[in-house]
Amino acid sequence: MRLSMIQAFIAILSTALLMFLLRAFPFILFSKRKPPQILSFIEKYIPAMVIGVLLVYCLSDPKYLTFTSAPWGIPAITGICATILLHLWKSNSMISIFGGTIIFMVLDSLI
C-alpha cells in the first residue's frame, strides 16, 4: 500500500511531534522540582554499567579473541586499550567511544 503525499507528511509530522514530546518530557516534568533519588543513581551509574555490558558483549564473539589464528585478538584488544586511554586522557565518553570504535574498525578491516 502506497501512501499519498499528504498521508506521508502527516505521518512524518506526527512522528516528529511524538519524538519531540518524548525528549522534552523529563525537562518539563522536573523543571520545577528535584528528580527522585533513583534517577540520580541511574544518571551516575548507568553509563559505566552500559560500557561493561557492551564490553562483555563485544568480547563474547570468538572471532575477536582467537589467539590461535589471525587476527589474534589484536583489533579487539587495541580498540579496548584505545578507548581506555582516550577516556583517561580526555575524560569525554563520546571521544573515547568513537575513537576506540574507529580504531577497532580500521584494524578489523586491515588485519
Side-chain angles (χ1 to χ4, degrees):
M1 181 174 117
R2 291 185 53 136
L3 295 178
S4 69
M5 285 297 270
I6 300 224
Q7 290 172 327
F9 186 70
I10 290 171
I12 290 170
L13 249 142
S14 60
T15 304
L17 179 66
L18 179 64
M19 186 64 66
F20 174 76
L21 291 174
L22 286 172
R23 300 284 180 172
F25 179 72
F27 297 101
I28 294 168
L29 184 66
F30 298 118
S31 64
K32 301 286 186 210
R33 62 187 178 114
K34 188 177 177 186
Q37 286 287 26
I38 188 73
L39 284 181
S40 299
F41 174 82
I42 289 172
E43 178 185 22
K44 185 175 181 182
Y45 293 108
I46 281 289
M49 288 190 286
V50 168
I51 289 173
V53 168
L54 286 173
L55 185 66
V56 169
Y57 174 75
C58 291
L59 293 179
S60 66
D61 189 358
K63 173 186 172 188
Y64 298 118
L65 287 180
T66 33
F67 296 105
T68 56
S69 63
W72 304 289
I74 293 171
I77 293 170
T78 307
I80 291 167
C81 291
T83 304
I84 292 169
L85 290 173
L86 283 170
H87 193 71
L88 291 174
W89 178 42
K90 287 292 186 180
S91 295
N92 186 327
S93 296
M94 296 302 283
I95 291 173
S96 59
I97 291 170
F98 282 118
T101 302
I102 290 168
I103 289 171
F104 168 74
M105 295 301 285
V106 168
L107 287 176
D108 193 42
S109 65
L110 292 177
I111 296 178

